[in-house]
Structure formats: structure tokens, C-alpha cells
Amino acid sequence: MKKLLIMILICAPFLSVAQEQEYKERFEQLGTMLPTPNSYRTASGAPGENYWQQKADYSIKVKLDESSNKITGSETITYYNQSPHSLNYLWLQLDQNMRAEGSDSELVSTATFFNDTIPAKYLEQYVANGGSSYDFPGGFNIETVKNADGDEMDYLVQKTMMKIRLPEALKPGENISFSIDWNYFVNDRMKGGGRSGFEYFEEDGNSLYTMAQFFPRMAVYNDVEGWQNKQFLGSGEFALTFGDYDVEITVPDDFIVGATGMVQNAKEVLTKDQFKRYEKALKSKEQTFIVTEEEAIENEKEKSTSYETWKFKAENVRDFGFAASRKFIWDGQMVELESTKPFAQSFYPKEGNPLWEEESTKAIKNTLELYSERTFDYPYPQATSVHAASIGMEYPMICFNFGRPDKNGEYSVRTQLGMTYVIVHEIGHNYFPMIVNSDERQWAWMDEGLNSFLESNVMFEYYPDLPYSDNIPQAVTGYMKSSKDQQRPIMTNPEQVLRLGPNAYSKPAAALNLLRNTIMGPELFDESFKAYAQRWKFKHPTPADFFRTMEDASAVDLDWFWRGWFYTTDHVDVSVDEVKYFRIAQDESDMEKNAKAPKGDLGEKEEKELKTDFSDRTDLIFLFQKLQNFGLVNIVPR
Ligand SMILES: [Zn+2]
């Protein structure tokens, strides 16, 4: 019993009352940090009996003018109010306005200049261009907004958001159709960056267009945020409503076009041979070329100035993207999943070969297989990977990916690795957030983190020979050991973090790898992760729905883990540094009590608790807390 006294004296200096409180809080339930469950979202993490979401159908016609790099479009949106609320106005996203003069993006963009290495004229130009080295007349020109009768509607453009004021409230269960005409100049991605735009190839005088955010899109209205109308600044991506799309894309008639959905008039826009090969490819389990490299090289020379229209349809998607160029080689194959047979296809210029013909479509297949196994069978009819220098960017059924060999067609393992994992990653985004449709503008980790986790699992399973080492605990120790003022909790808006990479991608992904491989075990983890994906597929989940489902489906209390890893920047490898064993001998207890009493460390109540309550509780945390209360164990973060 003397030992007990010694221990108390030793521990006392290490654990202040405040510290003790802090360590105890680390194991507390999340409680009120999660929103109160209701009939829309339940305490189990599943959608509730009154869950609702809005719907928006689009009929779009766009023309891409090659000589001016200008998009001219008109669309009719039919918006279904399935909420229990009357709406007096609607919010739409005008993402191109990020590039418009006076945009907030200019105000928040930062860059580092070193006076002695950059000529002053570049600095002046950078400032004059509002935080970009690329002077460009960007932004949407909204021509008209009209109702179904063709009458002008009243609207307000508020930077990257547009509000349409309704003459009468749109009541629950009603729908409204309206039309918008617009145009804008497409940005040169290689000069000004961006998620979409074009790359110009000087050698043959052709461009490769990867087009997205090219039309005014409905914002999300839901039970959690109301209207998600946070401005688009560049980092926080998108929150979008599901709907059906009917899109006509007019381009020079020697262009090849890939897009969200299935092409409806392949017979018209392809040559007879290409159409035959396309039909064959849809059903073939072998990679099949629809447009060969030789045909693409011939196409590059043509420079037709007459135009033709490609027609696409897509159902139940949250967005629409397309790629167009006369440089495209096109290959594809069917992927056989348990219940679906999607078409995997790739579009790339000759500059991407030989890497792209060898790896792209294969990477789509590998991704669809593993993701389907871990979530649900890929429900869309196709998945497309498009070659686009220096970016990785995702849209439903289509994504734009980097990875290019040098001019001689040679490439390093690094190039192959980068290209492979970016395709896996962007194709993987079909699941998160395209189908499990989280709010990217608010919670970047909900799609990037979950997706990077599955990406790492595809890489380990299908590419063991490539030196992939991302998204595992070892990959984030550098960030987590960095100064706390450089870190932000994962539960932070993507515009407010300092380092989006570790915050939204690798740290949450490492967390899931840790949960799967160490804390829960693959079987329990996979079952719970799948439950989350299946509960929220084609719906709008929030962080609480994820945290709750992972516990609900596994019977593992993970509140301490979410708390440390997601809500704070704490070091989370809490360890028990020292546990000492003490035995309280009955006959000596009086003596001990006397010895302790003057210190006031253990009162009679605690003494009694220590004697009586110890043996019948095996709950580890309870035991630690009890020991800690008495200063017998020192729990410190490492
Ligand atoms: Zn991503």
C-alpha cells in the first residue's frame, strides 16, 4: 500500500486537473456534437421515414465554336419541389463566374513570390490580372431567363450564384420549368489552370476540350442546409441535385465526343466501321478500339469547319461533363459485375500512348470491380476516362486524368503510377460523391477521404508492383507531426484549411485504413462501410450519417475515434504508458487511510469505490478512467 501512496505522489505533478479533464474528454461520446436525429435522418445513421430530396431534369443544347473557343448554350430545367416547404426563389450555381472580373476567388488566392528570383513585371502582371498570370475574359454571360410561357423571369446574379425570384411560391409537390440562354469563353487550362477548359497542341494545331460546369446548375436544397449557396471559390467543390439529362452537343463534324450518359445517335456521328466496332465493344470483355490511333492521326489533319450534333442521355445523375477533340483515340470494353455490365471506355490523343492504350481502360475495370464489391454494383451504363494533361477531375460517368509519356513514348514508373492512381481515383468518384451524393462544398473529406481510401485498396490489390504508398497511416505522420497551427480538423470547410491534401484526402483515408486493418478488422469494417454506401446511394448523406452508420452496423463504439481524428488535430495514438498493479490488503487499509488522509487524495467514498467497484467492471476505458481518477495511470498522447 505504500506503493499506492508513492504512485499518487509521482503522478500528481504530471497530471494537472485540466489535463486530466482533457484526457477524459477524449473518450467521451460525441453526444450533442452530432445533430439531433429526426424523421429525415435517424439516430442509426439511415435515412428516416420522411427523408426527401429535390430533383432537377435538364434539357441542354450547347455549341462549341472552335475558332473562338466559345460555348453558346440554352437549357430548360424542370425543378421538382419534393420538400415539405414552399419556395419563393431558386438558387443556381454559375461556377464559370469564378473567372469573372471581380470574383471573390481573386481576393482569396495567394501566391509566394521571391523578390530576387521573379522579375518585377511578372509580379505587376499577376496583380493586374487579379491573382493569375493569365488574363482572360471569363464568366457566364446570361442572355435570358424565361418561364414556360416564354416570359422573362426576375433574377439576381450574386457572383457564382444566381437566384431566380418566383412570381408565386413553388408549393410542396409542385414543379416548375424555366429556360436559360448563356455563353462564355472556354479557358486555356494550360495557361490559367482549372477543372475544365482546353489544351492546345501546337504541333498539329488542335485542341482537346474537357468541359464541365458549362451550364447553370441547380443548387441543393435539403433538410440540413436549406439552400447550399456558399460561393464557389475554387477549393470547395459542388453540391448538386439528381435528375435526368438530355444533352445535345454541337461540335466540328470531325470531332469525337465522350460525355456523361450514353450517346443516342452513334450511327449518325460515327463512320460505318467505327459504329460496328462500337456495337461490338459494348458487349466485348476484351479491349476493343472504336477509333484507332491511325484514324485519330488522320482526323487531326482534317480541320473540318462544318458542324454536327452528338446526342446524349443520362438518368439519375447529379451533373454532366463532356470531352471533345479530333485528336481522340477511343477504346472500350464491357465489365462484368455481379448484377450490372457497364461499358468502360477511354478517350486519349496519340500523345498519351503507349501508356493510355495499355492502362486506362484496364484501370477503369479494376476500379469498378473493387468499388462494386465494397459498396454496390456500378449502376450506370458506362464509365469514361479522358486524357487531360495535369489534372484529375471527376463528373458522373466521365473523368479527366493526367499522365503522359515523353515525346518518344517513354515513361517512368512514376508517370505510370500517377496516371494509374489518378484514373482509379477519378473513376472511383462515381461512387463518392456522384452516387453517394455528399455536399462537397461543405465536407471535402466525405468524398475525397472515402474515395482515396478505396483508391488505396485498389492500388494494393491490383497494382502490387507499383510503388504506391499514399493514404495509409505512415503517409500522414509528417502532416500530423507538423506544427498545430498548420493543421485544421478534418471537419473544416475546404476553403478554410491550409493544406487540403492531407486534410481532405490522406488523413481521412488513413483513418479508414486504420479502422479497417487495425481497429475494426476487415470483415466488420467492410460490412459497415457497405451499409453506409447502400443506405445513401442516390441520396444526400452528412458526416453524422456516416459516423452513426459505421457504429450502427458494427456494434463498435467509435465516438472516441471520430472525436480525435475528425473533430480535432490531437495526436490520436493515445497510449497507456505505464500500468502498475496494486493490491489493497484488508488488514492494512486503516494504516493506509491514515497515511493518506492528510493529503486528501482519497476520501472515504473513493476508497470504498476502489475496493468494491474494481472487480466487477472489465470495460477497459472504465478501468483506465478509474485508475486515472486515482492517479494510478498516466495516459498521455504521443
Ligand atoms: Zn478526388
Side-chain angles (χ1 to χ4, degrees):
M1 212 42 218
K2 264 187 189 146
K3 270 188 188 166
L4 173 63
L5 182 64
I6 291 162
M7 208 29 216
I8 289 166
L9 293 175
I10 290 171
C11 288
F14 295 115
L15 275 178
S16 67
V17 175
Q19 266 179 323
E20 218 174 283
Q21 185 60 26
E22 196 194 320
Y23 296 147
K24 269 196 281 180
E25 277 170 8
R26 288 189 181 161
F27 295 99
E28 276 177 13
Q29 293 294 291
L30 286 176
T32 52
M33 288 172 80
L34 297 182
T36 308
N38 53 39
S39 63
Y40 310 126
R41 290 163 201 273
T42 69
S44 70
E49 67 274 23
N50 293 326
Y51 176 83
W52 55 268
Q53 64 190 24
Q54 307 291 67
K55 183 175 193 273
D57 291 343
Y58 294 78
S59 171
I60 304 174
K61 290 188 169 89
V62 286
K63 184 178 178 188
L64 170 60
D65 183 73
E66 194 189 10
S67 58
S68 62
N69 287 315
K70 191 175 183 181
I71 286 268
T72 309
S74 65
E75 67 180 350
T76 299
I77 301 178
T78 306
Y79 187 69
Y80 300 84
N81 183 13
Q82 300 178 154
S83 82
H85 315 136
S86 288
L87 302 174
N88 292 311
Y89 43 79
L90 310 175
W91 280 104
L92 286 89
Q93 307 184 43
L94 302 180
D95 313 277
Q96 292 299 331
N97 284 1
M98 191 195 107
R99 299 179 186 285
E101 210 174 320
S103 129
D104 285 348
S105 304
E106 295 176 354
L107 301 175
V108 298
S109 84
T110 56
T112 307
F113 288 101
F114 301 98
N115 286 338
D116 53 346
T117 56
I118 188 154
K121 68 171 185 176
Y122 291 123
L123 185 59
E124 279 163 26
Q125 188 189 31
Y126 183 88
V127 173
N129 292 340
S132 168
S133 52
Y134 173 50
D135 189 13
F136 169 72
F140 278 120
N141 301 306
I142 301 291
E143 295 164 25
T144 59
V145 181
K146 289 181 175 169
N147 67 16
D149 298 328
D151 300 327
E152 297 276 349
M153 295 181 86
D154 188 17
Y155 66 94
L156 165 79
V157 173
Q158 219 293 66
K159 299 182 192 271
T160 62
M161 302 299 298
M162 177 166 80
K163 178 188 191 177
I164 299 184
R165 304 178 180 115
L166 303 177
E168 274 171 50
L170 183 66
K171 296 200 181 74
E174 288 183 351
N175 66 67
I176 184 172
S177 286
F178 55 93
S179 304
I180 303 175
D181 292 350
W182 75 94
N183 65 70
Y184 74 94
F185 289 103
V186 180
N187 55 300
D188 182 337
R189 276 198 314 105
M190 306 315 284
K191 289 183 181 157
R195 296 171 193 278
S196 62
F198 68 86
E199 176 184 3
Y200 180 70
F201 291 77
E202 255 172 39
E203 295 82 353
D204 52 78
N206 286 296
S207 291
L208 190 162
Y209 296 87
T210 42
M211 303 303 305
Q213 293 106 247
F214 65 91
F215 57 101
R217 311 180 292 175
M218 289 305 306
V220 166
Y221 180 77
N222 67 16
D223 59 298
V224 183
E225 293 264 2
W227 284 107
Q228 172 47 291
N229 56 5
K230 274 193 202 325
Q231 295 288 336
F232 179 49
L233 298 175
S235 288
E237 294 183 289
F238 313 107
L240 295 151
T241 303
F242 285 113
D244 300 335
Y245 283 69
D246 212 322
V247 182
E248 297 188 3
I249 301 164
T250 301
V251 290
D253 65 4
D254 48 1
F255 269 37
I256 295 292
V257 181
T260 299
M262 295 299 282
V263 60
Q264 302 296 302
N265 62 337
K267 206 171 177 177
E268 284 170 35
V269 292
L270 297 176
T271 66
K272 222 174 172 183
D273 278 352
Q274 288 167 348
F275 180 66
K276 245 195 233 163
R277 285 179 248 151
Y278 173 66
E279 295 245 285
K280 186 183 158 224
L282 289 173
K283 296 183 199 107
S284 169
K285 279 162 80 174
E286 301 294 319
Q287 180 189 29
T288 305
F289 284 85
I290 299 151
V291 178
T292 63
E293 183 162 338
E294 295 69 44
E295 287 171 321
I297 291 170
E298 275 309 302
N299 251 357
E300 283 183 355
K301 297 173 189 157
E302 216 170 298
K303 312 273 196 305
S304 171
T305 49
S306 39
Y307 280 70
E308 73 181 1
T309 300
W310 291 60
K311 297 176 180 170
F312 291 87
K313 264 188 203 291
E315 283 173 11
N316 215 6
V317 288
R318 54 167 248 168
D319 199 358
F320 192 98
F322 72 91
S325 180
R326 53 172 71 82
K327 290 177 69 66
F328 279 146
I329 301 162
W330 179 7
D331 79 60
Q333 70 166 88
M334 180 258 278
V335 179
E336 195 156 21
L337 303 171
E338 221 171 278
S339 65
T340 60
K341 289 179 180 169
F343 184 51
Q345 53 186 336
S346 303
F347 296 81
Y348 43 95
K350 63 177 188 302
E351 285 77 2
N353 270 341
L355 195 50
W356 273 69
E357 63 179 22
E358 285 163 11
E359 298 293 342
S360 178
T361 299
K362 194 165 78 188
I364 303 174
K365 174 179 175 284
N366 294 342
T367 309
L368 295 183
E369 284 177 359
L370 185 129
Y371 277 65
S372 294
E373 199 183 294
R374 297 286 187 81
T375 57
F376 42 79
D377 280 352
Y378 186 69
Y380 290 138
Q382 63 97 350
T384 297
S385 162
V386 180
H387 176 105
S390 69
I391 54 165
M393 191 54 209
E394 71 278 11
Y395 299 93
M397 297 187 229
I398 189 167
C399 53
F400 312 145
N401 306 304
F402 61 76
R404 186 175 294 174
D406 65 21
K407 291 227 151 58
N408 304 319
E410 282 164 17
Y411 55 87
S412 64
V413 174
R414 278 273 136 212
T415 303
Q416 187 189 355
L417 170 69
M419 177 240 185
T420 310
Y421 85 69
V422 78
I423 295 177
V424 170
H425 181 95
E426 308 306 344
I427 290 288
H429 269 307
N430 275 297
Y431 292 81
F432 308 98
M434 299 306 156
I435 297 170
V436 180
N437 189 351
S438 56
D439 178 351
E440 296 178 275
R441 189 143 305 169
Q442 181 60 38
W443 306 115
W445 69 269
M446 283 197 77
D447 66 303
E448 298 301 354
L450 272 60
N451 184 40
S452 297
F453 156 68
L454 284 182
E455 165 209 309
S456 68
N457 285 222
V458 172
M459 294 308 292
F460 293 130
E461 198 153 310
Y462 287 88
Y463 301 95
D465 297 334
L466 288 178
Y468 180 91
S469 58
D470 289 344
N471 302 309
I472 51 173
Q474 293 92 313
V476 294
T477 51
Y479 175 64
M480 292 178 75
K481 279 195 292 191
S482 69
S483 163
K484 292 289 184 197
D485 61 16
Q486 294 299 304
Q487 298 179 41
R488 294 289 180 272
I490 291 172
M491 293 288 287
T492 304
N493 182 282
E495 301 293 352
Q496 286 151 356
V497 298
L498 295 172
R499 293 175 60 195
L500 191 63
N503 247 88
Y505 295 69
S506 51
K507 191 180 164 190
L512 299 179
N513 272 316
L514 203 55
L515 281 177
R516 182 174 195 265
N517 300 330
T518 309
I519 297 166
M520 299 170 78
E523 200 182 332
L524 263 187
F525 177 91
D526 289 350
E527 185 165 334
S528 313
F529 193 81
K530 193 178 228 176
Y532 166 71
Q534 296 197 346
R535 281 175 171 183
W536 290 98
K537 96 183 208 198
F538 294 116
K539 293 193 170 70
H540 299 280
T542 65
D545 301 321
F546 176 69
F547 296 146
R548 285 175 163 144
T549 296
M550 291 302 289
E551 297 188 351
D552 183 63
S554 66
V556 180
D557 184 354
L558 296 169
D559 277 27
W560 62 276
F561 187 80
W562 308 135
R563 180 185 286 277
W565 200 286
F566 286 77
Y567 284 87
T568 74
T569 57
D570 279 351
H571 288 176
V572 288
D573 50 344
V574 174
S575 69
V576 176
D577 265 16
E578 198 177 25
V579 176
K580 288 193 173 170
Y581 178 71
F582 299 90
R583 188 169 60 84
I584 299 171
Q586 194 66 45
D587 54 345
E588 288 174 9
S589 59
D590 279 354
M591 185 186 80
E592 181 56 30
K593 194 174 167 187
N594 291 339
K596 271 198 318 283
K599 293 265 171 214
D601 287 326
L602 287 184
E604 252 178 64
K605 191 170 151 273
E606 288 85 357
E607 179 88 20
K608 192 163 169 247
E609 222 185 350
L610 192 67
K611 279 185 196 167
T612 57
D613 207 359
F614 233 30
S615 56
D616 54 355
R617 286 295 299 268
T618 51
D619 177 329
L620 198 59
I621 289 173
F622 172 83
L623 190 63
F624 284 159
Q625 282 181 347
K626 184 110 331 222
L627 285 164
Q628 205 185 350
N629 285 344
F630 297 133
L632 297 182
V633 57
N634 190 8
I635 301 182
V636 291
R638 275 202 307 217

